Structure formats: structure tokens, C-alpha cells
Amino acid sequence: TASHRTLRPTMSRLKKPKGLIRYATEDRAMRLEGRCGCGRGLERLGPAEGRTVDYLPIPGLGRVSPYELTTALSTHAAVSQFKIIQRRNQSLEVLVVLRPGADGQALAAVRQTMVRCVRGQVPVVVRQVDSIAKDASGKHRAVELNQTGAAVG
């Protein structure tokens, strides 16, 4: 069964004008068998699997968790900082800041890691950069999806 986007109601009567307000989160969860044992008979949800915007759609693989990609890149001792950008054509661009003394072999190793993570289903380009800028909110986004032109991650 596929996971679905979740809706969360407000839990405070003070915040509830008329009727129930539901906030559409980008959390993904699986519906579980059976009803809730609380006595209300509601459907049950499994643990959150992540956020919709966090997943990278990879042709032939479905949705790939950015955690898989960032964890794999974090194992490279030569990498100081990175950013993974999925372009509109599904290809991945990986910006890498190398630690002092690292060489081009580190970039090749990063590329091999990323190709392995996406099972060779999309092109992967790795570029060495001097620094990776923070976004407008002051955060460093390790993953950015450029599917619709909006930066998400």
C-alpha cells in the first residue's frame, strides 16, 4: 500500500472558529489495518515516513529519501559540505566543498556514491565549489528539488 499525505486538525478550541480546521501537512504515512482502540473507532496511521517534499522522484525507483543520499555523502571524509540539487530533468547536481588536502579522487568517489544511490537511473554531475550559500531563511539546505522551479528541501 502506498503512503498518503496526512491532515492534522487543530487541537485547541480557541483556534477553531466555525467547524474543524485541518492543516494539510507534507508528512507521509501509511494507513494501518484495524481501528483505533481509543473507543472512537478512527482509522489508524503508522509512523510518519517523511515529508512529501523531502523525497526525490527518481524514474524507475519511485521516491528516494534524501536521508539515504545525505547519509551516503556524510561517509566521505574528504567532504566538508555538500548540497544535492535535483533539476527539472530529474538529473542530480551535487555541489561539494572539499576539506583541505583532498583531491579530484574525492569528487570521483562522491559521484560513484551518488550513482549507486540512484541505481544509475539519472545523470549525476558533481562540482567542486569553494562554499555553499545559505538560503534566504539563513539555513543550509542539503537537498533542493527544482522540479517546479521552487526550491524545497
Side-chain angles (χ1 to χ4, degrees), residues 74-91:
S74 297
T75 64
H76 289 274
V79 175
S80 171
Q81 191 178 25
F82 60 85
K83 181 171 191 161
I84 303 165
I85 304 166
Q86 185 176 38
R87 300 292 180 198
R88 290 181 190 181
N89 67 358
Q90 309 286 323
S91 69

Side-chain angles (χ1 to χ4, degrees), residues 13-151:
R13 291 177 188 248
L14 299 174
K15 294 181 180 177
K16 202 168 38 169
K18 293 183 179 179
L20 181 68
I21 296 176
R22 291 188 178 126
Y23 292 95
T25 70
E26 294 300 327
D27 290 344
R28 305 283 303 180
M30 298 282 289
R31 211 177 257 162
L32 298 176
E33 294 292 323
R35 297 289 178 168
C36 180
C38 71
R40 291 184 176 181
L42 301 172
E43 295 182 60
R44 299 182 319 138
L45 290 178
E49 297 177 336
R51 296 189 155 242
T52 303
V53 295
D54 287 344
Y55 289 95
L56 286 82
I58 304 292
L61 293 180
R63 297 177 304 121
V64 173
S65 168
Y67 183 72
E68 179 181 348
L69 304 178
T70 58
T71 301
L73 286 182
S74 297
T75 64
H76 289 274
V79 175
S80 171
Q81 191 178 25
F82 60 85
K83 181 171 191 161
I84 303 165
I85 304 166
Q86 185 176 38
R87 300 292 180 198
R88 290 181 190 181
N89 67 358
Q90 309 286 323
S91 69
L92 298 182
E93 180 179 14
V94 183
L95 307 179
V96 178
V97 177
L98 293 178
R99 296 188 191 284
D103 59 16
Q105 289 180 335
L107 293 176
V110 166
R111 185 178 183 287
Q112 286 178 339
T113 297
M114 293 303 296
V115 168
R116 188 171 49 250
C117 285
V118 297
R119 287 33 156 217
Q121 295 294 313
V122 295
V124 175
V125 175
V126 177
R127 284 194 309 122
Q128 183 177 352
V129 295
D130 294 329
S131 64
I132 297 174
K134 294 180 180 179
D135 67 9
S137 70
K139 294 180 181 178
H140 168 70
R141 302 266 185 202
V143 178
E144 178 181 306
L145 303 179
N146 239 344
Q147 296 287 323
T148 60

